[in-house]
Amino acid sequence: MKLKEIAEFLSLDYRGEDLEITALNSLLRANFTELTYCDGEKNIKDVPHTGAGAILIKQEYENLVPKDTKVLISPNPHLSFAFLSKLFAKPLFSNVKEKKQDIAKSAKIMPNVYIGDNVNIGENVVIMAGAYIGDNVSIGDESIIHPNVVIYNDSKIGKKCHLLANCVIGSDGFGYAHNKNGEHYKIYHNGNVILEDYVEIGACATIDRAVFNSTIIKRGTKIDNLVQIGHNCNIGQNCLIIAQTGISGSTELGRSVVMGGQSATSGHLKIGDFSTIAARGGVSKNLGGGRVYGGFPIMLQKDWLRLQAKIALNFKDKD
Amino acid sequence: MKLKEIAEFLSLDYRGEDLEITALNSLLRANFTELTYCDGEKNIKDVPHTGAGAILIKQEYENLVPKDTKVLISPNPHLSFAFLSKLFAKPLFSNVKEKKQDIAKSAKIMPNVYIGDNVNIGENVVIMAGAYIGDNVSIGDESIIHPNVVIYNDSKIGKKCHLLANCVIGSDGFGYAHNKNGEHYKIYHNGNVILEDYVEIGACATIDRAVFNSTIIKRGTKIDNLVQIGHNCNIGQNCLIIAQTGISGSTELGRSVVMGGQSATSGHLKIGDFSTIAARGGVSKNLGGGRVYGGFPIMLQKDWLRLQAKIALNFKDKD
Amino acid sequence: MKLKEIAEFLSLDYRGEDLEITALNSLLRANFTELTYCDGEKNIKDVPHTGAGAILIKQEYENLVPKDTKVLISPNPHLSFAFLSKLFAKPLFSNVKEKKQDIAKSAKIMPNVYIGDNVNIGENVVIMAGAYIGDNVSIGDESIIHPNVVIYNDSKIGKKCHLLANCVIGSDGFGYAHNKNGEHYKIYHNGNVILEDYVEIGACATIDRAVFNSTIIKRGTKIDNLVQIGHNCNIGQNCLIIAQTGISGSTELGRSVVMGGQSATSGHLKIGDFSTIAARGGVSKNLGGGRVYGGFPIMLQKDWLRLQAKIALNFKDKD
């Protein structure tokens, strides 16, 4: 889509040279045919380093934009971007008459399964009744997709994965831009989800797709029932994430991290290798790793236990 | 159904004039052809103001009933009501041979979808594979019902809504009456769910139907994955309710309320306009609105942060 | 399967008498044709009392094994057991050409339902669209299986149960054995789930199957939406478990226990009859019963309320 058409669609003034925009992307990943945006504040430092073909930005930051990047001035770049995300959204499913599917003969497909276009299903894969496999999905050898699982378009499932009943892979993340009246505009998520080999996803767990690029669950990680993994998370190898835990968007877990039941993290955090978060631990800052943390606000679990004991001692027994 | 038949069904003594009862309803909403109930205690104050045709009530409160309302004395009105709720429950699905369906030609219906009787589906609606659309459901223009979503009978879905995979709209609320042996009797929920326009419901989120009348999610409100909304809740316009939050029955949120991840409320509360509840906040009292609250018990978020800092300072460092 | 074949499959040395092994089981339940395992530590006390035909055990504990039980020495018995659990796992569904099904004529089966082999469905049962009924499942009279519910193989559902939309009964529990590199090996769960009569399971709730034997929900217990019940739990009669609660594996609840919303328990606990756990209560020790508990760490709810008031008084108001 031409940059001038985009400007017109967004009712923004643009008089520079035109450019074919092929996709939207983040500040540091966008290339010279892609459009990015900067809302200011926390991302402003990345503007001078963008390689994007064009950028949606507030007027006050225009001078920070590299000279090869074309500038679309918007009073609310995040909102302009939300509008555009719909324009660039892939269809939820294609309407081709003859779907192209590469399904191994050894795969077993039960009844009432929906399989989209351009799907690749490996050797000995089992797809149980009621599952939904969106367009452009690939499923590696020996993986088992349990009943009524939903795998949205573009998801990549590794080998020997187990996806338990009613889990959802690749739903849009919870991202909205807001106008002055407090109305929320959906950001269509054009990234995907990648599950590497030997990943297990529990029943009714939900893994959101990335805005751009991928939400990634690395090799050997096991996720329990009713867990929520937000958009653009990156979960390391061999993690264990126990039931009803919530990982907010863009948070990264290192390898062999254990998250206890009903624990949680804020977004955009880094939790180091070999961290253990005790049940109910609420992580709202980066953690170095290699230790056992607990409580909310988060601290070392041994400190939390000692703290609770002292509180009880000081307050509980005397009246 | 005749009031005398109802009395007989419940093994209650009734010798007054007979009356055709058309439905069950709450004390203040029941009209002269409807039956209501009062358990005593918290609802007793409303008894003199009921316009119900008949009431199930304990003998000790009989004198409070208006003279135009017929009286069925029950030692356990809540239990009697539970029994009756089953009698008045609509069938989960009709068995008509030819279902009446008004589906716009522009709507796209994928395979393996179930659509009930008396369903109305608007222009450009998309219903993805495996979805269940119960009887008497209406879905407004441009809404998208994702794979394996369940919409129970009588739900009303507005325009441009997005219902993500495996969410459930209109399941019975968690309401039971109890006998002296501690056995629980299901209250069949004969109300419904209304989602106004521009509402989004996350994957594996659950919205319970009302006992009577409607659970309402107002225009522009966005609900994340794995959220629970209890029966008879009323969620205002443009709210954001983040993943794994639970709103208990009959609670009302004003407009533009934000509920952080894993937050929760008790039932029968009012949370004022423009309130923000921080992640994990647990609301057990009414909140005025316009401020940021956090912690459990709930307080102002800035107080909670200061409190946690002081606790740590006083207890954590000295041994 | 012969014990010598098992030893060979696990690359373990075994020179004793051979034995036909019919199943895997726990230390105290295994009989003389079954194989069990002991990792040491907490289960070591049960080794002398096992009636198992054979045991996987570390060399250092070999002398504790009864003389009638054959010994397979393993450096990591838990991991050896995980490998074996796959070998003994039942197929997720059978491939018989003609499925044997005993379905009452009065039962109603909606479209797009999958029903496996050797299934027994009672009088007036309703199975709504999109439900999955695995092999060897039985469903008692008058029970209602709502849309898109998944009931895995071998589950036993009592009479007059209600299973609400998208709940999952009998998914594998979250159990793994680990090797020295921190890689997790799935333990295939060969037990099942039993729901007794009058049980209700909420929308998107998940009930995991047992490793051996059964996860049991007793008569009259009601479970709300988005609740997680771990493998091998035993939930007593007439309990009420409110939304988003998590019960960890092998925990036992007595009768008439109430678990408030978002409450939780650790694994392997006993919670006595008539306990009430307030909303958000986190149980990490055994509880005697008959009282109201709350907080995390758990205490009497009245103590928790008093404690919170005192903390606020001491820290909140003075600066």
Side-chain angles (χ1 to χ4, degrees):
Chain A
M1 188 173 201
K2 291 289 182 187
L3 186 57
K4 289 194 171 171
E5 292 174 285
I6 287 173
E8 198 178 339
F9 170 77
L10 296 173
S11 304
L12 300 176
D13 190 41
Y14 178 70
R15 299 173 188 191
E17 206 182 328
D18 211 353
L19 178 68
E20 181 69 25
I21 297 294
T22 59
L24 310 178
N25 211 337
S26 60
L27 273 167
L28 295 182
R29 287 179 182 251
N31 70 27
F32 65 98
T33 69
E34 293 175 331
L35 184 142
T36 190
Y37 78 102
C38 175
D39 229 6
E41 293 84 48
K42 65 179 175 181
N43 296 320
I44 193 74
K45 66 181 190 307
D46 293 332
V47 172
H49 309 295
T50 191
I55 187 169
L56 282 159
I57 196 164
K58 288 184 184 173
Q59 186 141 30
E60 61 203 276
Y61 303 123
E62 184 181 4
N63 61 318
L64 298 173
V65 179
K67 70 173 173 39
D68 289 343
T69 301
K70 302 186 194 318
V71 176
L72 275 187
I73 301 294
S74 165
N76 187 341
H78 197 212
L79 187 57
S80 296
F81 168 73
F83 293 152
L84 267 191
S85 74
K86 185 172 181 180
L87 219 63
F88 279 86
K90 287 191 185 177
L92 280 161
F93 57 98
S94 80
N95 278 315
V96 292
K97 288 217 170 145
E98 283 198 32
K99 291 187 283 193
K100 187 185 143 206
Q101 296 174 336
D102 184 2
I103 301 176
K105 278 189 184 161
S106 57
K108 287 182 196 167
I109 315 284
M110 288 179 78
N112 305 327
V113 164
Y114 176 85
I115 299 181
D117 184 37
N118 195 31
V119 166
N120 192 304
I121 295 179
E123 297 293 340
N124 299 311
V125 166
V126 178
I127 301 189
M128 295 178 71
Y132 176 94
I133 314 294
D135 292 345
N136 314 311
V137 166
S138 66
I139 301 177
D141 298 347
E142 316 274 342
S143 284
I144 305 179
I145 312 302
H146 286 239
N148 292 346
V149 165
V150 174
I151 304 178
Y152 279 94
N153 48 315
D154 302 307
S155 302
K156 305 298 170 201
I157 313 295
K159 296 178 185 179
K160 301 200 178 188
C161 292
H162 294 252
L163 278 58
L164 272 57
N166 288 12
C167 74
V168 175
I169 310 298
S171 38
D172 264 16
F174 198 69
Y176 300 90
H178 321 289
N179 69 10
K180 285 182 180 168
N181 298 322
E183 292 164 339
H184 312 297
Y185 289 86
K186 180 177 177 65
I187 292 168
Y188 287 77
H189 283 54
N190 297 318
N192 73 343
V193 171
I194 297 173
L195 307 185
E196 294 185 357
D197 300 343
Y198 298 96
V199 166
E200 183 159 337
I201 306 290
C204 295
T206 58
I207 318 289
D208 284 346
R209 73 197 299 116
V211 180
F212 319 113
N213 309 302
S214 301
T215 302
I216 301 175
I217 316 287
K218 291 198 174 152
R219 181 186 172 93
T221 281
K222 314 296 184 182
I223 292 179
D224 200 356
N225 299 345
L226 296 164
V227 165
Q228 152 74 0
I229 307 287
H231 48 183
N232 290 81
C233 282
N234 190 318
I235 310 294
Q237 282 186 22
N238 297 331
C239 293
L240 294 175
I241 302 186
I242 319 295
Q244 298 178 321
T245 288
I247 312 285
S248 296
S250 300
T251 282
E252 295 181 27
L253 270 59
R255 61 178 290 196
S256 297
V257 172
V258 177
M259 303 278 308
Q262 296 187 344
S263 65
T265 75
S266 304
H268 297 273
L269 297 180
K270 293 190 190 215
I271 299 182
D273 296 347
F274 302 101
S275 298
T276 292
I277 313 299
R280 288 271 177 89
V283 184
S284 48
K285 60 178 182 184
N286 294 332
L287 295 177
R291 307 187 74 172
V292 181
Y293 307 88
F296 178 59
I298 201 79
M299 54 188 80
L300 290 177
Q301 172 71 352
K302 66 181 184 186
D303 288 341
W304 184 78
L305 290 169
R306 205 188 300 161
L307 181 57
Q308 296 304 318
K310 283 183 184 171
I311 288 174
L313 193 67
N314 272 268
F315 288 120
K316 212 169 124 187
D317 298 322
K318 61 184 184 193
D319 274 71
Chain B
M1 188 173 201
K2 290 289 182 188
L3 185 57
K4 288 195 172 172
E5 293 175 285
I6 287 172
E8 198 179 337
F9 171 77
L10 296 173
S11 303
L12 300 176
D13 190 40
Y14 179 70
R15 296 172 192 192
E17 207 181 327
D18 211 354
L19 177 70
E20 181 70 24
I21 295 295
T22 59
L24 310 178
N25 211 335
S26 60
L27 272 167
L28 294 182
R29 288 178 181 251
N31 70 27
F32 66 98
T33 69
E34 293 176 332
L35 183 142
T36 191
Y37 78 100
C38 176
D39 230 7
E41 293 84 50
K42 65 180 174 181
N43 297 318
I44 193 73
K45 67 182 189 306
D46 294 334
V47 172
H49 309 297
T50 191
I55 187 169
L56 281 159
I57 196 164
K58 288 184 185 174
Q59 187 142 28
E60 61 204 277
Y61 302 123
E62 184 182 4
N63 61 320
L64 298 172
V65 179
K67 69 172 172 40
D68 290 344
T69 300
K70 301 186 194 318
V71 175
L72 275 186
I73 301 296
S74 165
N76 187 341
H78 197 212
L79 187 57
S80 295
F81 169 74
F83 293 151
L84 267 190
S85 74
K86 185 171 181 182
L87 218 63
F88 278 86
K90 287 191 184 178
L92 279 162
F93 57 97
S94 79
N95 277 315
V96 293
K97 288 217 169 144
E98 284 198 30
K99 291 187 282 191
K100 187 185 144 205
Q101 296 174 336
D102 183 3
I103 302 177
K105 279 189 183 160
S106 58
K108 287 183 196 167
I109 316 285
M110 288 178 79
N112 304 329
V113 164
Y114 176 86
I115 299 181
D117 184 36
N118 195 31
V119 166
N120 191 303
I121 294 179
E123 297 292 340
N124 298 311
V125 165
V126 178
I127 301 189
M128 294 177 72
Y132 176 94
I133 315 293
D135 294 343
N136 314 310
V137 165
S138 65
I139 301 177
D141 298 349
E142 317 273 343
S143 284
I144 305 178
I145 312 302
H146 286 238
N148 291 348
V149 165
V150 174
I151 304 178
Y152 278 94
N153 49 314
D154 303 308
S155 301
K156 305 299 169 201
I157 312 297
K159 296 179 183 177
K160 301 200 177 187
C161 291
H162 294 252
L163 276 59
L164 272 58
N166 287 12
C167 73
V168 176
I169 310 296
S171 40
D172 265 15
F174 198 68
Y176 300 89
H178 321 290
N179 68 9
K180 286 181 180 169
N181 298 323
E183 292 165 338
H184 312 297
Y185 289 87
K186 180 178 176 64
I187 292 169
Y188 286 79
H189 284 54
N190 296 319
N192 74 344
V193 170
I194 296 173
L195 307 185
E196 294 187 357
D197 300 344
Y198 298 97
V199 165
E200 184 159 336
I201 306 290
C204 295
T206 58
I207 318 288
D208 284 346
R209 72 198 299 119
V211 180
F212 318 114
N213 309 302
S214 301
T215 302
I216 300 175
I217 315 289
K218 291 198 174 153
R219 181 186 172 94
T221 281
K222 313 295 184 184
I223 292 178
D224 200 357
N225 298 346
L226 295 165
V227 165
Q228 152 73 1
I229 307 286
H231 49 182
N232 291 82
C233 283
N234 189 317
I235 309 294
Q237 282 186 22
N238 297 331
C239 292
L240 294 175
I241 302 186
I242 319 296
Q244 298 178 320
T245 288
I247 312 284
S248 297
S250 300
T251 283
E252 295 181 26
L253 270 58
R255 59 179 291 194
S256 296
V257 171
V258 177
M259 303 278 309
Q262 296 188 344
S263 66
T265 75
S266 303
H268 298 272
L269 297 180
K270 292 187 191 219
I271 298 182
D273 296 347
F274 301 101
S275 298
T276 291
I277 313 298
R280 290 270 177 90
V283 184
S284 49
K285 60 180 182 183
N286 293 331
L287 296 177
R291 306 187 75 172
V292 181
Y293 307 88
F296 179 57
I298 200 78
M299 55 189 80
L300 289 177
Q301 172 71 352
K302 65 180 183 187
D303 288 342
W304 184 78
L305 290 169
R306 206 187 300 161
L307 181 58
Q308 296 305 317
K310 284 183 184 171
I311 288 173
L313 193 67
N314 272 269
F315 287 120
K316 210 169 126 187
D317 298 324
K318 60 183 184 194
D319 274 71
Chain C
M1 189 172 200
K2 291 288 182 188
L3 186 56
K4 289 195 172 172
E5 292 175 284
I6 289 172
E8 197 178 338
F9 170 77
L10 296 173
S11 303
L12 299 177
D13 189 39
Y14 179 69
R15 299 173 190 192
E17 205 182 329
D18 212 353
L19 178 70
E20 181 69 25
I21 296 294
T22 59
L24 310 178
N25 211 336
S26 60
L27 272 167
L28 295 183
R29 288 178 182 251
N31 69 29
F32 66 98
T33 69
E34 293 175 333
L35 183 143
T36 191
Y37 78 102
C38 175
D39 230 5
E41 293 83 49
K42 65 180 174 180
N43 297 319
I44 192 75
K45 67 181 189 306
D46 294 333
V47 172
H49 309 295
T50 192
I55 187 168
L56 282 158
I57 197 164
K58 289 184 184 172
Q59 186 141 30
E60 61 204 276
Y61 302 124
E62 183 181 6
N63 61 319
L64 298 172
V65 179
K67 69 172 173 39
D68 289 344
T69 300
K70 301 185 193 322
V71 176
L72 276 186
I73 301 294
S74 165
N76 187 341
H78 197 213
L79 187 57
S80 296
F81 169 74
F83 293 152
L84 267 191
S85 74
K86 185 172 182 181
L87 218 63
F88 278 86
K90 288 191 184 178
L92 279 162
F93 56 98
S94 79
N95 277 316
V96 292
K97 286 217 170 144
E98 283 198 32
K99 291 187 283 193
K100 187 185 143 205
Q101 297 174 335
D102 183 3
I103 302 177
K105 279 189 183 159
S106 57
K108 287 182 196 168
I109 315 286
M110 289 178 78
N112 304 329
V113 164
Y114 177 85
I115 299 181
D117 184 38
N118 195 31
V119 166
N120 191 304
I121 295 180
E123 297 292 339
N124 299 310
V125 165
V126 178
I127 301 188
M128 295 177 72
Y132 177 94
I133 315 293
D135 293 344
N136 313 311
V137 166
S138 66
I139 301 177
D141 299 347
E142 317 275 341
S143 284
I144 304 179
I145 312 303
H146 286 238
N148 291 347
V149 165
V150 174
I151 304 178
Y152 278 93
N153 48 315
D154 301 308
S155 301
K156 304 300 169 199
I157 313 295
K159 297 178 184 178
K160 301 200 178 187
C161 291
H162 294 252
L163 277 60
L164 272 58
N166 288 11
C167 73
V168 175
I169 310 296
S171 38
D172 265 14
F174 198 69
Y176 300 89
H178 321 290
N179 69 10
K180 285 181 180 169
N181 298 324
E183 292 165 337
H184 312 296
Y185 290 86
K186 180 178 177 66
I187 292 168
Y188 286 78
H189 283 54
N190 296 319
N192 73 345
V193 171
I194 296 173
L195 307 184
E196 293 187 356
D197 301 343
Y198 298 97
V199 165
E200 183 158 337
I201 306 291
C204 295
T206 58
I207 318 289
D208 283 347
R209 73 196 299 118
V211 181
F212 318 113
N213 309 302
S214 301
T215 302
I216 300 175
I217 316 287
K218 291 198 174 154
R219 179 187 172 94
T221 281
K222 313 296 185 183
I223 292 177
D224 200 356
N225 299 345
L226 295 165
V227 165
Q228 152 74 0
I229 306 287
H231 49 183
N232 290 81
C233 283
N234 189 317
I235 311 294
Q237 283 187 20
N238 297 330
C239 292
L240 294 175
I241 302 185
I242 318 296
Q244 297 177 322
T245 287
I247 312 283
S248 296
S250 301
T251 283
E252 296 182 26
L253 271 58
R255 59 179 291 197
S256 297
V257 171
V258 177
M259 303 277 309
Q262 296 186 346
S263 65
T265 75
S266 304
H268 297 275
L269 297 179
K270 293 189 190 217
I271 298 182
D273 297 346
F274 302 101
S275 297
T276 291
I277 312 299
R280 289 270 177 89
V283 183
S284 48
K285 60 179 182 183
N286 294 332
L287 296 177
R291 306 186 76 172
V292 181
Y293 308 87
F296 179 58
I298 201 78
M299 54 188 81
L300 289 177
Q301 172 71 353
K302 66 181 183 186
D303 288 343
W304 184 78
L305 289 169
R306 206 187 300 161
L307 182 58
Q308 296 305 319
K310 283 182 185 173
I311 288 174
L313 193 67
N314 272 268
F315 288 120
K316 210 169 126 188
D317 298 323
K318 60 183 187 195
D319 274 71

